[in-house]
mmCIF file of all heavy atoms in Angstrom:
data_model
loop_
_atom_site.group_PDB
_atom_site.id
_atom_site.type_symbol
_atom_site.label_atom_id
_atom_site.label_comp_id
_atom_site.label_asym_id
_atom_site.label_seq_id
_atom_site.Cartn_x
_atom_site.Cartn_y
_atom_site.Cartn_z
ATOM 1 N N ALA A 28 -18.800 -18.037 -12.850
ATOM 2 C CA ALA A 28 -17.397 -17.834 -13.215
ATOM 3 C C ALA A 28 -16.842 -19.039 -13.962
ATOM 4 O O ALA A 28 -16.098 -18.897 -14.932
ATOM 5 C CB ALA A 28 -16.572 -17.546 -11.969
ATOM 6 N N GLU A 29 -17.214 -20.229 -13.518
ATOM 7 C CA GLU A 29 -16.743 -21.441 -14.191
ATOM 8 C C GLU A 29 -17.281 -21.515 -15.618
ATOM 9 O O GLU A 29 -16.555 -21.866 -16.550
ATOM 10 C CB GLU A 29 -17.185 -22.665 -13.399
ATOM 11 C CG GLU A 29 -16.678 -23.968 -13.961
ATOM 12 C CD GLU A 29 -17.121 -25.169 -13.148
ATOM 13 O OE1 GLU A 29 -17.824 -24.987 -12.138
ATOM 14 O OE2 GLU A 29 -16.765 -26.292 -13.539
ATOM 15 N N ASN A 30 -18.546 -21.149 -15.802
ATOM 16 C CA ASN A 30 -19.145 -21.148 -17.131
ATOM 17 C C ASN A 30 -18.442 -20.157 -18.049
ATOM 18 O O ASN A 30 -18.138 -20.467 -19.201
ATOM 19 C CB ASN A 30 -20.641 -20.818 -17.022
ATOM 20 C CG ASN A 30 -21.349 -20.915 -18.339
ATOM 21 O OD1 ASN A 30 -20.872 -21.552 -19.260
ATOM 22 N ND2 ASN A 30 -22.489 -20.263 -18.428
ATOM 23 N N ARG A 31 -18.167 -18.954 -17.554
ATOM 24 C CA ARG A 31 -17.509 -17.933 -18.365
ATOM 25 C C ARG A 31 -16.072 -18.319 -18.689
ATOM 26 O O ARG A 31 -15.568 -18.024 -19.763
ATOM 27 C CB ARG A 31 -17.540 -16.574 -17.662
ATOM 28 C CG ARG A 31 -18.937 -16.020 -17.478
ATOM 29 C CD ARG A 31 -19.627 -15.850 -18.831
ATOM 30 N NE ARG A 31 -20.895 -15.185 -18.694
ATOM 31 C CZ ARG A 31 -22.061 -15.764 -18.828
ATOM 32 N NH1 ARG A 31 -22.144 -17.047 -19.098
ATOM 33 N NH2 ARG A 31 -23.175 -15.077 -18.713
ATOM 34 N N LEU A 32 -15.388 -18.980 -17.754
ATOM 35 C CA LEU A 32 -14.034 -19.459 -18.037
ATOM 36 C C LEU A 32 -14.059 -20.496 -19.149
ATOM 37 O O LEU A 32 -13.222 -20.467 -20.055
ATOM 38 C CB LEU A 32 -13.408 -20.054 -16.779
ATOM 39 C CG LEU A 32 -12.023 -20.677 -16.961
ATOM 40 C CD1 LEU A 32 -11.002 -19.624 -17.362
ATOM 41 C CD2 LEU A 32 -11.594 -21.380 -15.690
ATOM 42 N N PHE A 33 -15.026 -21.395 -19.107
ATOM 43 C CA PHE A 33 -15.154 -22.398 -20.166
ATOM 44 C C PHE A 33 -15.407 -21.737 -21.520
ATOM 45 O O PHE A 33 -14.796 -22.103 -22.526
ATOM 46 C CB PHE A 33 -16.287 -23.378 -19.833
ATOM 47 C CG PHE A 33 -16.561 -24.355 -20.935
ATOM 48 C CD1 PHE A 33 -15.706 -25.428 -21.147
ATOM 49 C CD2 PHE A 33 -17.658 -24.201 -21.766
ATOM 50 C CE1 PHE A 33 -15.953 -26.331 -22.174
ATOM 51 C CE2 PHE A 33 -17.906 -25.087 -22.787
ATOM 52 C CZ PHE A 33 -17.055 -26.164 -22.996
ATOM 53 N N LEU A 34 -16.298 -20.749 -21.549
ATOM 54 C CA LEU A 34 -16.582 -20.054 -22.804
ATOM 55 C C LEU A 34 -15.357 -19.318 -23.334
ATOM 56 O O LEU A 34 -15.068 -19.351 -24.536
ATOM 57 C CB LEU A 34 -17.735 -19.061 -22.617
ATOM 58 C CG LEU A 34 -19.117 -19.665 -22.470
ATOM 59 C CD1 LEU A 34 -20.135 -18.588 -22.132
ATOM 60 C CD2 LEU A 34 -19.522 -20.378 -23.747
ATOM 61 N N ALA A 35 -14.634 -18.639 -22.450
ATOM 62 C CA ALA A 35 -13.456 -17.887 -22.873
ATOM 63 C C ALA A 35 -12.383 -18.812 -23.434
ATOM 64 O O ALA A 35 -11.777 -18.511 -24.471
ATOM 65 C CB ALA A 35 -12.888 -17.074 -21.711
ATOM 66 N N THR A 36 -12.153 -19.933 -22.771
ATOM 67 C CA THR A 36 -11.121 -20.843 -23.268
ATOM 68 C C THR A 36 -11.550 -21.559 -24.542
ATOM 69 O O THR A 36 -10.714 -21.853 -25.389
ATOM 70 C CB THR A 36 -10.725 -21.879 -22.201
ATOM 71 O OG1 THR A 36 -11.891 -22.553 -21.754
ATOM 72 C CG2 THR A 36 -10.020 -21.227 -21.045
ATOM 73 N N SER A 37 -12.828 -21.798 -24.708
ATOM 74 C CA SER A 37 -13.258 -22.459 -25.942
ATOM 75 C C SER A 37 -13.256 -21.493 -27.123
ATOM 76 O O SER A 37 -13.023 -21.904 -28.255
ATOM 77 C CB SER A 37 -14.626 -23.108 -25.768
ATOM 78 O OG SER A 37 -15.601 -22.145 -25.483
ATOM 79 N N LEU A 38 -13.499 -20.210 -26.876
ATOM 80 C CA LEU A 38 -13.489 -19.232 -27.963
ATOM 81 C C LEU A 38 -12.086 -18.759 -28.319
ATOM 82 O O LEU A 38 -11.741 -18.634 -29.504
ATOM 83 C CB LEU A 38 -14.347 -18.021 -27.602
ATOM 84 C CG LEU A 38 -15.851 -18.223 -27.582
ATOM 85 C CD1 LEU A 38 -16.546 -16.970 -27.069
ATOM 86 C CD2 LEU A 38 -16.357 -18.567 -28.965
ATOM 87 N N TYR A 39 -11.267 -18.461 -27.318
ATOM 88 C CA TYR A 39 -9.971 -17.835 -27.555
ATOM 89 C C TYR A 39 -8.784 -18.722 -27.210
ATOM 90 O O TYR A 39 -7.644 -18.309 -27.395
ATOM 91 C CB TYR A 39 -9.851 -16.545 -26.724
ATOM 92 C CG TYR A 39 -10.891 -15.517 -27.046
ATOM 93 C CD1 TYR A 39 -11.947 -15.269 -26.185
ATOM 94 C CD2 TYR A 39 -10.827 -14.788 -28.228
ATOM 95 C CE1 TYR A 39 -12.902 -14.319 -26.479
ATOM 96 C CE2 TYR A 39 -11.770 -13.841 -28.534
ATOM 97 C CZ TYR A 39 -12.810 -13.615 -27.653
ATOM 98 O OH TYR A 39 -13.749 -12.671 -27.961
ATOM 99 N N GLY A 40 -9.003 -19.893 -26.658
ATOM 100 C CA GLY A 40 -7.888 -20.682 -26.135
ATOM 101 C C GLY A 40 -7.370 -19.981 -24.883
ATOM 102 O O GLY A 40 -8.098 -19.265 -24.206
ATOM 103 N N TRP A 41 -6.108 -20.174 -24.582
ATOM 104 C CA TRP A 41 -5.553 -19.512 -23.405
ATOM 105 C C TRP A 41 -5.004 -18.130 -23.732
ATOM 106 O O TRP A 41 -4.444 -17.462 -22.856
ATOM 107 C CB TRP A 41 -4.498 -20.382 -22.751
ATOM 108 C CG TRP A 41 -5.146 -21.527 -22.031
ATOM 109 C CD1 TRP A 41 -5.254 -22.807 -22.475
ATOM 110 C CD2 TRP A 41 -5.825 -21.468 -20.779
ATOM 111 N NE1 TRP A 41 -5.963 -23.556 -21.560
ATOM 112 C CE2 TRP A 41 -6.316 -22.754 -20.505
ATOM 113 C CE3 TRP A 41 -6.076 -20.460 -19.862
ATOM 114 C CZ2 TRP A 41 -7.032 -23.069 -19.365
ATOM 115 C CZ3 TRP A 41 -6.786 -20.767 -18.712
ATOM 116 C CH2 TRP A 41 -7.255 -22.054 -18.474
ATOM 117 N N THR A 42 -5.193 -17.653 -24.954
ATOM 118 C CA THR A 42 -4.721 -16.305 -25.309
ATOM 119 C C THR A 42 -5.606 -15.218 -24.713
ATOM 120 O O THR A 42 -5.226 -14.048 -24.729
ATOM 121 C CB THR A 42 -4.654 -16.126 -26.833
ATOM 122 O OG1 THR A 42 -5.943 -16.332 -27.392
ATOM 123 C CG2 THR A 42 -3.663 -17.101 -27.446
ATOM 124 N N TRP A 43 -6.773 -15.567 -24.160
ATOM 125 C CA TRP A 43 -7.631 -14.565 -23.535
ATOM 126 C C TRP A 43 -6.940 -13.929 -22.340
ATOM 127 O O TRP A 43 -7.255 -12.807 -21.955
ATOM 128 C CB TRP A 43 -8.979 -15.146 -23.124
ATOM 129 C CG TRP A 43 -8.897 -16.207 -22.066
ATOM 130 C CD1 TRP A 43 -8.774 -17.542 -22.253
ATOM 131 C CD2 TRP A 43 -8.924 -16.018 -20.646
ATOM 132 N NE1 TRP A 43 -8.720 -18.203 -21.053
ATOM 133 C CE2 TRP A 43 -8.809 -17.283 -20.042
ATOM 134 C CE3 TRP A 43 -9.040 -14.894 -19.822
ATOM 135 C CZ2 TRP A 43 -8.801 -17.457 -18.668
ATOM 136 C CZ3 TRP A 43 -9.037 -15.079 -18.456
ATOM 137 C CH2 TRP A 43 -8.912 -16.344 -17.890
ATOM 138 N N ILE A 44 -5.954 -14.633 -21.770
ATOM 139 C CA ILE A 44 -5.219 -14.089 -20.625
ATOM 140 C C ILE A 44 -4.407 -12.865 -21.035
ATOM 141 O O ILE A 44 -4.135 -11.991 -20.212
ATOM 142 C CB ILE A 44 -4.319 -15.183 -20.012
ATOM 143 C CG1 ILE A 44 -5.196 -16.269 -19.415
ATOM 144 C CG2 ILE A 44 -3.376 -14.628 -18.968
ATOM 145 C CD1 ILE A 44 -4.442 -17.444 -18.864
ATOM 146 N N LEU A 45 -4.021 -12.780 -22.287
ATOM 147 C CA LEU A 45 -3.189 -11.678 -22.762
ATOM 148 C C LEU A 45 -3.985 -10.431 -23.129
ATOM 149 O O LEU A 45 -3.396 -9.422 -23.499
ATOM 150 C CB LEU A 45 -2.369 -12.146 -23.975
ATOM 151 C CG LEU A 45 -1.473 -13.367 -23.722
ATOM 152 C CD1 LEU A 45 -0.819 -13.798 -25.019
ATOM 153 C CD2 LEU A 45 -0.455 -13.065 -22.651
ATOM 154 N N ARG A 46 -5.292 -10.464 -23.012
ATOM 155 C CA ARG A 46 -6.110 -9.301 -23.355
ATOM 156 C C ARG A 46 -5.939 -8.210 -22.297
ATOM 157 O O ARG A 46 -5.734 -8.490 -21.117
ATOM 158 C CB ARG A 46 -7.567 -9.711 -23.498
ATOM 159 C CG ARG A 46 -7.753 -10.746 -24.626
ATOM 160 C CD ARG A 46 -9.157 -11.250 -24.718
ATOM 161 N NE ARG A 46 -10.066 -10.314 -25.350
ATOM 162 C CZ ARG A 46 -10.220 -10.185 -26.661
ATOM 163 N NH1 ARG A 46 -9.496 -10.924 -27.466
ATOM 164 N NH2 ARG A 46 -11.083 -9.337 -27.146
ATOM 165 N N PRO A 47 -6.006 -6.924 -22.690
ATOM 166 C CA PRO A 47 -5.733 -5.822 -21.756
ATOM 167 C C PRO A 47 -6.688 -5.764 -20.559
ATOM 168 O O PRO A 47 -6.260 -5.465 -19.439
ATOM 169 C CB PRO A 47 -5.880 -4.569 -22.607
ATOM 170 C CG PRO A 47 -5.823 -5.015 -24.012
ATOM 171 C CD PRO A 47 -6.213 -6.447 -24.048
ATOM 172 N N GLY A 48 -7.948 -6.043 -20.764
ATOM 173 C CA GLY A 48 -8.903 -5.995 -19.661
ATOM 174 C C GLY A 48 -8.591 -7.023 -18.591
ATOM 175 O O GLY A 48 -8.701 -6.753 -17.393
ATOM 176 N N VAL A 49 -8.171 -8.201 -19.009
ATOM 177 C CA VAL A 49 -7.820 -9.258 -18.063
ATOM 178 C C VAL A 49 -6.579 -8.845 -17.272
ATOM 179 O O VAL A 49 -6.500 -9.044 -16.062
ATOM 180 C CB VAL A 49 -7.592 -10.594 -18.805
ATOM 181 C CG1 VAL A 49 -7.101 -11.670 -17.857
ATOM 182 C CG2 VAL A 49 -8.860 -11.029 -19.505
ATOM 183 N N GLY A 50 -5.618 -8.231 -17.954
ATOM 184 C CA GLY A 50 -4.414 -7.761 -17.274
ATOM 185 C C GLY A 50 -4.721 -6.688 -16.245
ATOM 186 O O GLY A 50 -4.158 -6.685 -15.139
ATOM 187 N N LEU A 51 -5.624 -5.777 -16.587
ATOM 188 C CA LEU A 51 -6.007 -4.713 -15.655
ATOM 189 C C LEU A 51 -6.701 -5.297 -14.421
ATOM 190 O O LEU A 51 -6.392 -4.912 -13.284
ATOM 191 C CB LEU A 51 -6.921 -3.706 -16.354
ATOM 192 C CG LEU A 51 -7.397 -2.543 -15.502
ATOM 193 C CD1 LEU A 51 -6.221 -1.678 -15.103
ATOM 194 C CD2 LEU A 51 -8.421 -1.730 -16.270
ATOM 195 N N ILE A 52 -7.613 -6.223 -14.619
ATOM 196 C CA ILE A 52 -8.304 -6.856 -13.493
ATOM 197 C C ILE A 52 -7.303 -7.625 -12.627
ATOM 198 O O ILE A 52 -7.367 -7.576 -11.392
ATOM 199 C CB ILE A 52 -9.435 -7.772 -13.991
ATOM 200 C CG1 ILE A 52 -10.542 -6.918 -14.600
ATOM 201 C CG2 ILE A 52 -9.982 -8.642 -12.870
ATOM 202 C CD1 ILE A 52 -11.602 -7.717 -15.326
ATOM 203 N N ALA A 53 -6.350 -8.319 -13.254
ATOM 204 C CA ALA A 53 -5.332 -9.059 -12.497
ATOM 205 C C ALA A 53 -4.455 -8.109 -11.693
ATOM 206 O O ALA A 53 -4.120 -8.389 -10.537
ATOM 207 C CB ALA A 53 -4.484 -9.896 -13.449
ATOM 208 N N LEU A 54 -4.095 -6.965 -12.268
ATOM 209 C CA LEU A 54 -3.271 -5.990 -11.567
ATOM 210 C C LEU A 54 -3.998 -5.407 -10.362
ATOM 211 O O LEU A 54 -3.431 -5.308 -9.267
ATOM 212 C CB LEU A 54 -2.855 -4.872 -12.523
ATOM 213 C CG LEU A 54 -1.989 -3.767 -11.928
ATOM 214 C CD1 LEU A 54 -0.638 -4.329 -11.532
ATOM 215 C CD2 LEU A 54 -1.853 -2.632 -12.912
ATOM 216 N N VAL A 55 -5.261 -5.040 -10.530
ATOM 217 C CA VAL A 55 -6.045 -4.494 -9.422
ATOM 218 C C VAL A 55 -6.199 -5.535 -8.316
ATOM 219 O O VAL A 55 -6.070 -5.226 -7.130
ATOM 220 C CB VAL A 55 -7.424 -4.000 -9.929
ATOM 221 C CG1 VAL A 55 -8.358 -3.689 -8.778
ATOM 222 C CG2 VAL A 55 -7.248 -2.786 -10.821
ATOM 223 N N THR A 56 -6.443 -6.781 -8.684
ATOM 224 C CA THR A 56 -6.564 -7.848 -7.702
ATOM 225 C C THR A 56 -5.259 -8.065 -6.953
ATOM 226 O O THR A 56 -5.243 -8.208 -5.727
ATOM 227 C CB THR A 56 -7.006 -9.155 -8.387
ATOM 228 O OG1 THR A 56 -8.232 -8.930 -9.073
ATOM 229 C CG2 THR A 56 -7.168 -10.279 -7.389
ATOM 230 N N LEU A 57 -4.152 -8.062 -7.671
ATOM 231 C CA LEU A 57 -2.852 -8.254 -7.049
ATOM 232 C C LEU A 57 -2.531 -7.128 -6.065
ATOM 233 O O LEU A 57 -2.064 -7.378 -4.948
ATOM 234 C CB LEU A 57 -1.767 -8.346 -8.125
ATOM 235 C CG LEU A 57 -0.369 -8.672 -7.642
ATOM 236 C CD1 LEU A 57 -0.335 -10.074 -7.038
ATOM 237 C CD2 LEU A 57 0.609 -8.583 -8.788
ATOM 238 N N VAL A 58 -2.809 -5.886 -6.450
ATOM 239 C CA VAL A 58 -2.570 -4.752 -5.556
ATOM 240 C C VAL A 58 -3.459 -4.859 -4.317
ATOM 241 O O VAL A 58 -3.007 -4.619 -3.191
ATOM 242 C CB VAL A 58 -2.798 -3.416 -6.296
ATOM 243 C CG1 VAL A 58 -2.855 -2.252 -5.331
ATOM 244 C CG2 VAL A 58 -1.707 -3.195 -7.325
ATOM 245 N N ALA A 59 -4.712 -5.243 -4.502
ATOM 246 C CA ALA A 59 -5.634 -5.361 -3.373
ATOM 247 C C ALA A 59 -5.222 -6.476 -2.411
ATOM 248 O O ALA A 59 -5.501 -6.401 -1.215
ATOM 249 C CB ALA A 59 -7.048 -5.611 -3.874
ATOM 250 N N LEU A 60 -4.545 -7.490 -2.895
ATOM 251 C CA LEU A 60 -4.096 -8.579 -2.030
ATOM 252 C C LEU A 60 -2.752 -8.291 -1.369
ATOM 253 O O LEU A 60 -2.533 -8.650 -0.219
ATOM 254 C CB LEU A 60 -3.993 -9.887 -2.832
ATOM 255 C CG LEU A 60 -5.307 -10.497 -3.289
ATOM 256 C CD1 LEU A 60 -5.046 -11.685 -4.199
ATOM 257 C CD2 LEU A 60 -6.152 -10.906 -2.110
ATOM 258 N N VAL A 61 -1.852 -7.622 -2.084
ATOM 259 C CA VAL A 61 -0.496 -7.427 -1.588
ATOM 260 C C VAL A 61 -0.359 -6.166 -0.742
ATOM 261 O O VAL A 61 0.375 -6.159 0.251
ATOM 262 C CB VAL A 61 0.500 -7.411 -2.772
ATOM 263 C CG1 VAL A 61 1.888 -7.024 -2.331
ATOM 264 C CG2 VAL A 61 0.519 -8.766 -3.446
ATOM 265 N N LEU A 62 -1.050 -5.096 -1.076
ATOM 266 C CA LEU A 62 -0.901 -3.829 -0.366
ATOM 267 C C LEU A 62 -1.204 -3.937 1.132
ATOM 268 O O LEU A 62 -0.427 -3.422 1.942
ATOM 269 C CB LEU A 62 -1.766 -2.744 -1.023
ATOM 270 C CG LEU A 62 -1.584 -1.344 -0.492
ATOM 271 C CD1 LEU A 62 -0.167 -0.860 -0.724
ATOM 272 C CD2 LEU A 62 -2.577 -0.401 -1.142
ATOM 273 N N PRO A 63 -2.267 -4.598 1.567
ATOM 274 C CA PRO A 63 -2.479 -4.731 3.018
ATOM 275 C C PRO A 63 -1.353 -5.483 3.724
ATOM 276 O O PRO A 63 -0.998 -5.149 4.852
ATOM 277 C CB PRO A 63 -3.795 -5.502 3.132
ATOM 278 C CG PRO A 63 -4.495 -5.232 1.864
ATOM 279 C CD PRO A 63 -3.423 -5.102 0.834
ATOM 280 N N MET A 64 -0.770 -6.476 3.065
ATOM 281 C CA MET A 64 0.339 -7.205 3.681
ATOM 282 C C MET A 64 1.561 -6.309 3.825
ATOM 283 O O MET A 64 2.257 -6.357 4.845
ATOM 284 C CB MET A 64 0.679 -8.446 2.845
ATOM 285 C CG MET A 64 -0.364 -9.530 2.928
ATOM 286 S SD MET A 64 0.152 -11.025 2.078
ATOM 287 C CE MET A 64 -0.532 -10.734 0.460
ATOM 288 N N ILE A 65 1.829 -5.485 2.819
ATOM 289 C CA ILE A 65 2.962 -4.565 2.894
ATOM 290 C C ILE A 65 2.728 -3.531 3.979
ATOM 291 O O ILE A 65 3.630 -3.233 4.772
ATOM 292 C CB ILE A 65 3.198 -3.889 1.525
ATOM 293 C CG1 ILE A 65 3.673 -4.917 0.506
ATOM 294 C CG2 ILE A 65 4.200 -2.757 1.650
ATOM 295 C CD1 ILE A 65 3.732 -4.394 -0.911
ATOM 296 N N LEU A 66 1.526 -2.980 4.048
ATOM 297 C CA LEU A 66 1.227 -1.990 5.075
ATOM 298 C C LEU A 66 1.321 -2.586 6.472
ATOM 299 O O LEU A 66 1.804 -1.942 7.405
ATOM 300 C CB LEU A 66 -0.162 -1.393 4.846
ATOM 301 C CG LEU A 66 -0.309 -0.499 3.617
ATOM 302 C CD1 LEU A 66 -1.743 -0.053 3.461
ATOM 303 C CD2 LEU A 66 0.623 0.688 3.691
ATOM 304 N N ARG A 67 0.872 -3.813 6.627
ATOM 305 C CA ARG A 67 0.943 -4.468 7.935
ATOM 306 C C ARG A 67 2.394 -4.748 8.317
ATOM 307 O O ARG A 67 2.780 -4.589 9.471
ATOM 308 C CB ARG A 67 0.147 -5.767 7.924
ATOM 309 C CG ARG A 67 -0.011 -6.380 9.298
ATOM 310 C CD ARG A 67 -0.868 -7.629 9.307
ATOM 311 N NE ARG A 67 -2.122 -7.445 8.600
ATOM 312 C CZ ARG A 67 -2.596 -8.282 7.690
ATOM 313 N NH1 ARG A 67 -1.931 -9.372 7.369
ATOM 314 N NH2 ARG A 67 -3.754 -8.056 7.088
ATOM 315 N N ALA A 68 3.214 -5.146 7.346
ATOM 316 C CA ALA A 68 4.612 -5.458 7.627
ATOM 317 C C ALA A 68 5.408 -4.209 7.993
ATOM 318 O O ALA A 68 6.307 -4.261 8.826
ATOM 319 C CB ALA A 68 5.246 -6.151 6.426
ATOM 320 N N THR A 69 5.076 -3.069 7.391
ATOM 321 C CA THR A 69 5.802 -1.834 7.685
ATOM 322 C C THR A 69 5.239 -1.097 8.885
ATOM 323 O O THR A 69 5.820 -0.126 9.343
ATOM 324 C CB THR A 69 5.779 -0.892 6.468
ATOM 325 O OG1 THR A 69 4.432 -0.561 6.144
ATOM 326 C CG2 THR A 69 6.472 -1.526 5.277
ATOM 327 N N GLY A 70 4.092 -1.544 9.386
ATOM 328 C CA GLY A 70 3.481 -0.886 10.539
ATOM 329 C C GLY A 70 2.562 0.254 10.174
ATOM 330 O O GLY A 70 1.940 0.858 11.027
#
């Protein structure tokens, strides 16, 4: 992961974060982290 991050930043700068695939992966990760907390809080 560290190697791929280095390659992505050297090729695209930090604009790689704005690519649609990265946004989709970030959204799925965020839902997977937040949804269990919401379900636990609501019972």
Side-chain angles (χ1 to χ4, degrees):
E29 184 179 0
N30 185 20
R31 296 301 187 252
L32 176 64
F33 175 76
L34 287 173
T36 54
S37 62
L38 289 174
Y39 300 106
W41 286 101
T42 59
W43 64 269
I44 294 176
L45 303 175
R46 299 175 77 83
V49 175
L51 180 65
I52 291 170
L54 180 66
V55 169
T56 303
L57 185 65
V58 168
L60 291 173
V61 172
L62 187 62
M64 289 186 268
I65 293 171
L66 291 176
R67 189 177 311 131
T69 60

